[in-house]
């Protein structure tokens, strides 16, 4: 396939990949950089990648690997204040929804990189355990254990304690009561 096909592929997947990268990096600008770097690498091999049965899975794997490499190369961690990208808020969302998302993103940022990648791909990208294992190049058992540990850490995070106990509102804006 030609360059135009790559451009169409990249254009249709940009927002989703930036969202995934944002959840992995915790910073919108770094997320865009990771996606840009991923697309640069994918472009070089696009004729081969475009013939794969699941080019999206390949690109997700490349994205996660680029983020992990970026994280390993960093010797001094930057202290950035996480700022959510500008978005239109759903009716009734308001400041509480932004605050809840910020708390969740802060807790997510404290997970080890591998657990964070598993949680993001499994629960935000709604990938199956098998798909996550393929993207990360690890065993199904590793995905299950990383997901279990990651969710356990999120449930035990002090800022999320009221949600885990069912006393606070949930991230989707419901009251967290009877389920």
């Amino acid at each position: 396939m030609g360059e135009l096909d790559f451009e169409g592929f990249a254009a249709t997947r940009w927002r989703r990949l930036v969202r995934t990268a944002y959840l992995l990096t915790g910073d919108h600008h770094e997320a865009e950089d990771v996606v840009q770097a991923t697309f640069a690498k994918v472009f070089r091999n696009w004729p081969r990648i475009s013939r794969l049965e699941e080019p999206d899975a390949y690109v997700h794997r490349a994205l996660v690997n680029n983020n992990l490499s970026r994280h390993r190369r960093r010797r001094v961690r930057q202290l950035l204040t996480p700022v959510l990208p500008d978005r239109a808020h759903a009716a009734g969302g308001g400041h509480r929804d932004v605050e809840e998302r910020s708390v969740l993103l802060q807790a997510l940022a404290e997970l080890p990189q591998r657990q964070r990648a598993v949680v993001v791909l499994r629960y935000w990208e709604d990938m199956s355990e098998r798909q996550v294992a393929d993207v990360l190049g690890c065993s199904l058992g590793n995905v299950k254990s990383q997901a279990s540990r990651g969710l356990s850490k999120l449930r035990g995070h002090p800022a999320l304690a009221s949600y885990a106990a069912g006393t606070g509102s949930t991230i989707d804006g419901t009251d967290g009561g009877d389920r």
Side-chain angles (χ1 to χ4, degrees):
M1 294 189 159
E3 185 175 334
L4 183 60
D5 293 322
F6 172 78
E7 288 174 3
F9 177 88
T12 59
R13 281 140 179 101
W14 174 261
R15 287 183 63 148
R16 182 175 182 194
L17 290 171
V18 168
R19 183 190 69 212
T20 300
Y22 176 74
L23 292 167
L24 293 171
T25 65
D27 179 79
H28 188 69
H29 298 291
E30 284 189 48
E32 288 180 337
D33 289 347
V34 170
V35 174
Q36 184 84 20
T38 300
F39 278 152
K41 290 178 181 180
V42 167
F43 177 76
R44 288 188 290 238
N45 297 306
W46 183 246
R48 178 182 56 81
I49 295 167
S50 66
R51 290 190 305 267
L52 295 174
E53 190 173 316
E54 301 247 1
D56 285 312
Y58 182 94
V59 173
H60 268 95
R61 183 174 186 166
L63 178 77
V64 171
N65 288 342
N66 278 339
N67 181 59
L68 292 172
S69 294
R70 175 195 61 82
H71 186 70
R72 281 190 289 264
R73 284 191 304 266
R74 239 191 191 155
R75 294 188 191 270
V76 178
R77 185 167 179 100
Q78 295 176 8
L79 296 176
L80 300 173
T81 304
V83 177
L84 293 173
D86 291 335
R87 299 169 131 183
H89 295 287
H95 296 290
R96 195 175 95 203
D97 287 348
V98 171
E99 183 178 317
E100 290 171 349
R101 269 187 244 117
S102 293
V103 168
L104 180 59
L105 289 172
Q106 176 189 0
L108 188 62
E110 294 176 19
L111 292 179
Q113 286 294 312
R114 199 71 168 175
Q115 285 177 8
R116 186 176 184 171
V118 168
V119 170
V120 167
L121 293 175
R122 181 77 176 100
Y123 300 103
W124 266 277
E125 289 299 318
D126 200 27
M127 291 184 176
S128 70
E129 290 170 337
R130 171 54 48 208
Q131 288 171 316
V132 174
D134 291 345
V135 166
L136 297 178
C138 63
S139 71
L140 192 59
N142 186 268
V143 169
K144 290 178 181 183
S145 67
Q146 294 288 341
S148 175
R149 288 181 189 133
L151 290 176
S152 178
K153 285 182 182 180
L154 289 174
R155 287 183 186 112
H157 192 280
L160 298 175
S162 64
Y163 301 105
T167 59
S169 61
T170 61
I171 298 304
D172 64 6
T174 61
D175 67 6
D178 298 328
R179 287 190 176 238

